[in-house]
Amino acid sequence: MHTEIERKFLVRGDGWRGRAEPVPYRQGYLARTSDRVVRVRIAGDRGFLTVKIKSGAISREEFEYPVPFEDARAMLDALSPGEIIEKYRYTFEEKGSVWEVDEFLGANRGLVVAEIELKSEEQDFEKPDWLGEEVSRLSRYLNVELARNPYCGWETGAGHRAEVNGG
């Protein structure tokens, strides 16, 4: 078990690009309730099964297990499109912290979100210039919610797209 304490931010502009090679992600949700999810994920050529249980404002208990690639693909293929997220993930270090930038595809195209994992909810860190508005406590930015309610369908999607893409 691992406690995941994660803060999320919208990304402004392209100042983060070129710092890492993209890894394709495809993930879906086998089960979800208001405080927990069961996710299957393919990251590059590796499969994972993850259980997340909410334990704080931005904290979750996380149980993640490798699964055979073909099993992960079969589980994803059995899901409906509304349960699947596709994105590229870029992982790199900047200003003493490891950042993960997710560039979403498909129905969430245009959304770019940066995440930082912390040791505590109050931990300080230096923010890169390309970091935009914090969205850690906005549930619609959770991947599980983006699968159900994609970015392209948000009423404010066009305004957010302009903000996220730098103008």
Side-chain angles (χ1 to χ4, degrees):
M1 178 185 71
H2 161 73
T3 300
E4 175 188 69
I5 302 170
E6 191 174 77
R7 289 181 61 186
K8 291 182 179 237
F9 299 83
L10 296 178
V11 172
R12 296 188 309 223
D14 290 330
W16 59 275
R17 290 200 184 274
R19 298 168 192 239
E21 290 296 316
V23 175
Y25 275 56
R26 185 170 181 244
Q27 63 191 48
Y29 298 89
L30 304 173
R32 52 183 152 198
T33 66
S34 62
D35 67 343
R36 64 196 66 207
V37 299
V38 179
R39 175 186 73 204
V40 62
R41 169 185 277 174
I42 293 176
D45 61 356
R46 300 175 59 205
F48 299 92
L49 190 62
T50 306
V51 177
K52 292 188 179 191
I53 303 169
K54 187 173 181 171
S55 59
I58 59 172
S59 303
R60 290 181 288 283
E61 299 304 318
E62 182 179 68
F63 305 84
E64 185 165 78
Y65 307 97
V67 297
F69 180 85
E70 290 304 322
D71 289 357
R73 182 173 24 205
M75 286 185 265
L76 285 168
D77 288 348
L79 297 173
S80 69
E83 296 167 312
I84 303 284
I85 291 285
E86 292 182 295
K87 61 188 177 182
Y88 287 118
R89 174 164 285 174
Y90 304 79
T91 304
F92 55 91
E93 189 173 327
E94 182 164 335
K95 298 189 182 276
S97 299
V98 174
W99 290 93
E100 295 177 339
V101 175
D102 289 342
E103 183 175 27
F104 288 88
L105 306 170
N108 290 295
R109 184 174 306 278
L111 180 60
V112 182
V113 176
E115 301 174 350
I116 184 172
E117 196 163 322
L118 304 171
K119 291 182 174 42
S120 76
E121 291 193 17
E122 298 79 28
Q123 181 181 336
D124 288 328
F125 58 92
E126 192 172 347
K127 296 179 181 175
D129 296 339
W130 43 264
L131 215 56
E133 172 189 354
E134 183 167 4
V135 295
S136 301
R137 289 178 168 79
L138 300 177
S139 63
R140 71 179 181 172
Y141 288 98
L142 294 171
N143 285 285
V144 66
E145 293 301 325
L146 290 168
R148 188 182 349 218
N149 182 19
Y151 180 66
C152 70
W154 296 1
E155 287 182 29
T156 59
H160 279 282
R161 280 189 195 93
E163 175 185 323
V164 168
N165 291 323

